[in-house]
Amino acid sequence: MAKHGKRTTAAREQFAGKRNLTVEEAVALVKNNANAKFDETVEIAMNLGVDPRHADQMVRGVVALPNGTGKTMRVAVFARDAKAEEAKAAGADIVGAEDLMEIVQSGKIEFDRCIATPDMMPIVGRLGKVLGPRNLMPNPKVGTVTMDVKAAVEAAKGGEVQFKVEKAGVVHAGIGKASFGEDKLVENVRAFVEAVSKARPAGAKGSYMKKIVVSSTMGPSVTISVENAAGN
């Protein structure tokens, strides 16, 4: 059996026996034990009572976290002419059309969010096998296929988070940094949970939110009371 270091052992002792905490308690525990040499990301994972293999049980959406993510978001935009200039002015990191398609096809993907104007989708559509598995494919349902590229770029840069349920029925995301104040992390957790709650699909039956867990990049995880997180 592998031995754990002193830091990991100490952290696990702090978390031992603690479960179904309030959002405030969980955030304080995770934050106080995030003592790696870098600013750890605070992450949330939610186990949902859905089967995403069925179209009417797919959960996806977007949420603007009130305090941002603390991450520098690199944004690519597929656009031409005036819309390309609008994207650049809004702060997009990479802007292009066929030239950007070729860059992506070569395997060079140096961005975290991809936005496209509707007229560019025939080009972007060819990149489905590359962008799809990375959850980077532009989609009008989450506002990344739009003529308002300025607003989309600014939202991405401002801490907007996209979420999509995975095969096992889990939704996860980074909702801030360990250096954030506890109150800011609490606000971000509640905003994310609320967004996922509102995204409940028509086909979901029975209990929708089954389990909510928070952790830091290098730390143990702890469960949050679903009722408390949902504000019930």
Side-chain angles (χ1 to χ4, degrees):
M1 184 174 178
K3 291 185 178 180
H4 298 293
K6 291 182 179 179
R7 188 184 69 82
T8 301
T9 300
R12 290 192 173 190
E13 289 176 353
Q14 291 291 320
F15 282 69
K18 296 179 180 178
R19 58 179 63 89
N20 291 329
L21 306 182
T22 66
V23 176
E24 290 79 6
E25 290 170 339
V27 163
L29 185 61
V30 169
K31 177 178 167 62
N32 291 337
N33 285 277
N35 48 23
K37 293 181 179 180
F38 62 93
D39 193 5
E40 297 181 53
T41 296
V42 176
E43 302 170 353
I44 187 170
M46 301 176 64
N47 188 358
L48 306 177
V50 298
D51 184 348
R53 292 176 298 178
H54 301 287
D56 66 345
Q57 294 187 49
M58 173 55 66
V59 178
R60 74 181 305 160
V62 62
V63 55
L65 298 179
N67 302 296
T69 63
K71 176 182 178 181
T72 300
M73 185 70 69
R74 300 168 299 175
V75 180
V77 178
F78 282 88
R80 288 195 176 96
D81 304 324
K83 286 299 173 181
E85 293 304 315
E86 181 181 320
K88 292 176 183 176
D93 300 274
I94 310 169
V95 181
E98 286 83 0
D99 55 336
L100 181 51
M101 178 188 71
E102 292 175 1
I103 291 172
V104 173
Q105 286 177 329
S106 73
K108 189 177 182 181
I109 302 176
E110 298 180 337
F111 51 86
D112 308 296
R113 181 71 57 85
C114 187
I115 297 165
T117 53
D119 59 297
M120 297 301 295
M121 287 311 292
I123 291 176
V124 179
R126 303 178 203 174
L127 303 172
K129 291 183 179 180
V130 181
L131 298 178
R134 294 173 171 82
N135 200 27
L136 290 172
M137 192 68 181
N139 189 310
K141 292 182 179 179
V142 292
T144 48
V145 177
T146 176
M147 288 300 289
D148 193 352
V149 293
K150 179 178 183 293
V153 171
E154 290 177 346
K157 291 283 189 178
E160 186 180 74
V161 172
Q162 293 182 5
F163 58 87
K164 180 180 179 181
V165 68
E166 298 176 350
K167 290 182 180 179
V170 175
V171 168
H172 66 86
I175 49 84
K177 293 291 185 179
S179 59
F180 282 20
E182 289 182 18
D183 57 336
K184 291 186 176 181
L185 288 170
V186 168
E187 288 176 356
N188 280 0
V189 168
R190 292 196 182 281
F192 187 85
V193 172
E194 181 181 3
V196 174
S197 177
K198 289 181 177 178
R200 176 172 180 152
K205 306 298 182 183
S207 177
Y208 176 51
M209 292 188 187
K210 291 188 171 183
K211 186 177 182 180
I212 303 175
V213 175
V214 291
S215 64
S216 64
T217 306
M218 302 297 290
S221 61
V222 63
T223 56
I224 291 177
S225 162
V226 172
E227 290 75 17
N228 179 266
N232 295 336

